Amino acid sequence: MFPGSFDPPTLGHINIIERSLKLYDRLYVVVADNIAKHCLFTADERVAVLRDIFASSHNIEVVAYDGLMVNFAREHGIGVMIRGVRAVGDFGYEFELAMTNKQMMQDLEVLFMPTDPNYFMLRSSQIKEMAAFGADVSRLVPRQVVELLKTKGDMKIKEN
Ligand code: ADP
């Protein structure tokens, strides 16, 4: 499984998903539906856009989940959780998260996949900020996300 917020998905996420499929036959992309974390896009929107991006990949299942990711893993018999790491800063956070998850689920393996150098500066928050100010993000996200961002980006600008 590859869990995350994907608010919105970027080419960095897509790259991790595509590389994960070289290691595993099937992959759950699990969209965290976490009310404590304020997202620009609803879980339904994030799931829909990921499903659209991977419409032709039959070995990827995109689902939303509003509980602990270890519970999702247990419920679906998943043994490996993949997380992407961009820089040393990411590693500290990811390591603590892996320790917490491992404490809750002993037999879960967490795999850290280093980002592709093309995407090491890329994060969802940066995309939202750029889009809100009308910057071109088409080289940083899939075209489906560009379309989705247009509506929300415009809304944000109007609000300000
Ligand atoms: P979360 O809120 O769970 O961190 P994100 O959507 O921000 O959700 O990230 C999901 C996973 O994707 C995390 O492991 C994150 O480190 C990874 N990730 C995000 N952006 C990139 C990128 N540009 N390259 C590689 N991994 C990334």
Side-chain angles (χ1 to χ4, degrees):
M1 69 189 282
F2 179 46
S5 302
F6 307 108
D7 188 46
T10 70
L11 293 184
H13 293 124
I14 305 306
N15 176 259
I16 297 288
I17 293 171
E18 285 171 347
R19 287 161 61 204
S20 299
L21 284 173
K22 292 184 185 161
L23 301 176
Y24 301 99
D25 295 334
R26 283 186 66 206
L27 183 73
Y28 278 99
V29 176
V30 188
V31 174
D33 186 5
N34 183 350
I35 40 165
K37 192 164 178 175
H38 180 73
C39 285
L40 178 61
F41 298 101
T42 65
D44 285 347
E45 285 173 321
R46 288 174 278 147
V47 167
V49 79
L50 279 162
R51 284 188 182 157
D52 194 10
I53 294 163
F54 291 104
S56 59
S57 307
H58 302 294
N59 45 1
I60 296 178
E61 193 138 355
V62 184
V63 287
Y65 192 69
D66 65 359
L68 284 172
M69 288 300 160
V70 288
N71 288 343
F72 182 91
R74 276 199 200 95
E75 287 163 18
H76 293 81
I78 291 166
V80 181
M81 177 188 286
I82 293 169
R83 294 285 292 178
V85 278
R86 282 160 293 209
V88 183
D90 270 359
F91 185 78
Y93 169 75
E94 292 294 340
F95 189 80
E96 276 183 26
L97 194 63
M99 292 303 103
T100 307
N101 283 330
K102 190 88 177 153
Q103 267 170 355
M104 291 187 287
M105 185 175 168
Q106 278 290 313
D107 52 351
L108 178 75
E109 295 303 339
V110 179
L111 200 109
F112 294 148
M113 191 173 283
T115 188
D116 181 289
N118 287 322
Y119 308 125
F120 85 105
M121 295 286 283
L122 189 51
R123 54 187 68 244
S124 299
S125 55
Q126 168 205 349
I127 296 296
K128 285 180 276 193
E129 202 166 322
M130 287 174 72
F133 288 99
D136 179 16
V137 295
S138 60
R139 283 186 304 167
L140 306 173
V141 296
R143 64 173 172 77
Q144 294 89 339
V145 174
V146 174
E147 294 308 313
L148 186 62
L149 274 163
K150 274 182 191 161
T151 48
K152 303 273 177 171
D154 290 351
M155 270 169 52
K156 216 172 166 194
I157 287 170
K158 275 181 207 149
E159 274 170 19
N160 291 338

